Amino acid sequence: MGKLLLLLLLLTGCGREDKCELNPEVAKVPVTLRLERLERSFFQVKSTTDAGAFLAQHPLFANQYLQLRQYPSADALTPMLTRLATNADLQQLGSQAAAAFPEEQLQADLKRLFQHVRYYFPKFRVPPVNTFVSGLGLDPFSKDLFVNDSLMVLSLDFFVGPKAKYRPNAPEYILRRYTPAHLLPAAAQAISSKYNRRLPTNQTMLSEMVQYGKALYFVEKVLPCTQDSILIGFTAAELAGVEFNEGKIWAHFIEKKLLYNTAPFTIQKYVGERPSIPEIDKTCPGRVGAWVGWQIVRKYMAEHPQVTLPQLMAETDAQRILTASKYRPKRK
């Protein structure tokens, strides 16, 4: 099977990048992007007084990303910020992040992403974007992404890639999604949660799969030139494998009567973070349930071209999507 997968990789590639053509209508969508590289002023901090001034100059960032209001006062946070800003290793990582994300390219990529979002959702309000070097989760406020209606924070140090001086404390199958190419898909998926409606109760395996599938379809539409392997976070070999074995994977869900299973532990085995899903095959990558959900949604949208992206994201009936998709992949 290994030789067959290699042949498939050579013949089909792993994404849509080569055949991508941007919709000229998207380029006409007006977007005002406010991007501020906060890591630059952050690394100018030399004392707790400087750290206090940094917080005062960036109140939205301080309150929402750093969660300043959870502290008795700014004085409780400034020593931690000062230690981070003056850490030589973190400064070196900051330099690597600056090289990995040149401002002009990041501006262009973010603008294109927001234009696509506003093309499908004209009322979407583009939040100000702050970049930061957070310390890779070494402090309580550190996180890779923060996105809400009023602010987006991108912690670039998480996404520098395998050549970074330091990397996030995560297993390899998660680490491979922390590269420059994965930054925008992660941001787009966070944005998708604003529109991705779901029923609050009675979650089944199928509803979780379709929920993830809708999110991935959203990301696919707003980042149309990004390879599928990057969008889902699989290696090229893993993607070729699940595509070739799609019928076998679907048969597993049917034969094991998993689609309407409501046990959270069982559901997470197929849609949650795992290096592999040996219940299907030792080579089957984790989160394959999300990938199958994506294929169901793709088939549904292909069968119903009149359905808009906002209508898809508002649909909460996973069974309706599955039935109307006519999704029935065959074993090969």
Side-chain angles (χ1 to χ4, degrees), residues 14-18 20 22 112 181-185 188 219-232 294 298:
C14 58
R16 295 165 287 125
E17 193 172 65
D18 292 340
C20 174
L22 289 175
R112 192 176 303 116
H182 291 88
L183 175 64
L184 261 64
V219 177
E220 171 185 346
K221 300 304 287 186
V222 300
L223 294 171
C225 292
T226 302
Q227 294 177 348
D228 287 359
S229 58
I230 298 295
L231 296 181
I232 186 67
W294 187 16
R298 280 175 156 176

Side-chain angles (χ1 to χ4, degrees), residues 158-218:
F158 278 85
F159 294 91
V160 172
K163 295 183 179 180
K165 182 177 178 66
Y166 297 102
R167 303 212 67 198
N169 183 22
E172 180 58 36
Y173 69 93
I174 293 177
L175 271 183
R176 67 180 182 225
R177 304 203 300 269
Y178 280 125
T179 74
H182 291 88
L183 175 64
L184 261 64
Q189 188 145 350
I191 294 171
S192 78
S193 63
K194 175 180 175 67
Y195 302 104
N196 199 356
R197 298 289 176 258
R198 68 188 302 162
L199 293 175
T201 57
N202 301 320
Q203 294 301 308
T204 64
M205 179 79 75
L206 175 62
S207 65
E208 287 294 297
M209 290 165 66
V210 170
Q211 188 73 11
Y212 280 105
K214 289 196 297 174
L216 286 162
Y217 189 82
F218 177 99

Side-chain angles (χ1 to χ4, degrees), residues 307-327:
V307 175
T308 66
L309 184 59
Q311 288 171 336
L312 169 70
M313 301 304 286
E315 178 60 73
T316 59
D317 190 338
Q319 182 62 58
R320 180 180 179 277
I321 289 177
L322 174 61
T323 302
S325 73
K326 304 177 183 177
Y327 179 77

Side-chain angles (χ1 to χ4, degrees), residues 33-166:
L33 176 62
R34 293 160 290 170
L35 172 64
E36 190 169 5
R37 305 293 293 257
L38 292 191
E39 66 273 16
R40 293 172 181 169
S41 55
F42 175 65
F43 284 124
Q44 298 301 311
V45 168
K46 305 300 180 188
S47 66
T48 55
T49 301
D50 293 342
F54 174 82
L55 293 174
Q57 289 162 8
H58 307 288
L60 191 63
F61 174 81
N63 290 322
Q64 297 204 22
Y65 181 79
L66 299 181
Q67 302 177 7
L68 179 59
R69 293 191 180 97
Q70 293 188 8
Y71 295 84
S73 69
D75 292 341
L77 185 56
T78 54
M80 186 188 309
L81 288 176
T82 304
R83 285 196 299 273
L84 281 174
T86 56
N87 182 288
D89 291 327
L90 189 60
Q91 289 173 351
Q92 184 175 348
L93 185 57
S95 297
Q96 290 181 310
F101 296 97
E103 183 159 352
E104 185 175 342
Q105 185 62 54
L106 185 58
Q107 284 262 12
D109 291 344
L110 285 167
K111 181 180 179 181
R112 192 176 303 116
L113 165 63
F114 289 137
Q115 283 179 312
H116 278 88
V117 176
R118 293 199 71 237
Y119 176 76
Y120 293 106
F121 298 88
K123 294 183 179 179
F124 174 73
R125 302 169 99 184
V126 177
V129 180
N130 295 165
T131 62
F132 193 57
V133 172
S134 63
L136 298 176
L138 299 179
D139 291 287
F141 56 77
S142 178
K143 55 186 77 71
D144 54 359
L145 287 170
F146 176 89
V147 180
N148 66 15
D149 288 342
S150 56
L151 181 66
M152 173 183 284
V153 180
L154 309 175
S155 294
L156 301 183
D157 48 331
F158 278 85
F159 294 91
V160 172
K163 295 183 179 180
K165 182 177 178 66
Y166 297 102

